[in-house]
Amino acid sequence: MAISQAMCTSFKVELLQGVHNFTTSTGDVFKIALYTSSATLGASTTVYTTSNEVVGTGYTAGGNTLTNVTPTSSGTTAFTDFADTTWSTATITARGALIYNSTEANKAVCVLDFGSDKTSTAGNFTVVFPTADASNAIIRIA
């Protein structure tokens, strides 16, 4: 079992097919689900799964809805990002996460590997996204 940080291969194909819309006010709904170290997630992940999803106080299956940052570009790089998200008063342990498009049949976007188990005990569990720019945004096409 392993979680490998990656942009999902199926997502890359779906971008070329025009499946995903990241526009803030009129785009699709994207979610982030948390997973234990027993999960197997990576580039080959195609859809959201409940297998080895985190279970605990303050966490609901399917995860949190993300707030989109409308895509833009800088130089020759197009990018989009999300606002940070928090599970409040949560008692959970997660090793990674899956961002997926709940509007489009729960299609996988990308896998996040936290590098080690992260735990909250009756506190906030926050996923902090990088700066929304051409060098750091969570989704970049260069």
Side-chain angles (χ1 to χ4, degrees):
M1 308 286 180
I3 296 176
S4 299
Q5 182 133 338
M7 184 178 292
C8 299
T9 305
S10 59
F11 170 70
K12 295 174 189 177
V13 171
E14 292 157 3
L15 280 179
L16 297 177
Q17 296 169 337
V19 172
H20 302 276
N21 180 350
F22 287 90
T23 306
T24 301
S25 58
T26 59
D28 296 337
V29 174
F30 293 88
K31 292 189 171 188
I32 184 169
L34 301 176
Y35 291 86
T36 69
S37 59
S38 296
T40 301
L41 300 169
S44 64
T45 301
T46 59
V47 295
Y48 159 75
T49 178
T50 58
S51 181
N52 294 302
E53 187 173 4
V54 164
V55 175
T57 304
Y59 184 84
T60 302
N64 280 355
T65 299
L66 294 168
T67 301
N68 303 1
V69 174
T70 296
T72 191
S73 65
S74 177
T76 60
T77 302
F79 57 91
T80 192
D81 212 322
F82 302 99
D84 298 348
T85 190
T86 300
W87 287 266
S88 299
T89 319
T91 299
I92 54 178
T93 298
R95 168 57 196 232
L98 175 69
I99 296 174
Y100 66 98
N101 186 338
S102 67
T103 301
E104 294 292 337
N106 295 331
K107 293 178 183 286
V109 173
C110 63
V111 175
L112 306 178
D113 178 0
F114 299 156
S116 62
D117 283 347
K118 304 298 179 190
T119 300
S120 64
T121 304
N124 290 344
F125 189 102
T126 302
V127 174
V128 177
F129 287 97
T131 303
D133 63 27
S135 299
N136 299 296
I138 198 73
I139 299 173
R140 297 177 305 241
I141 302 171

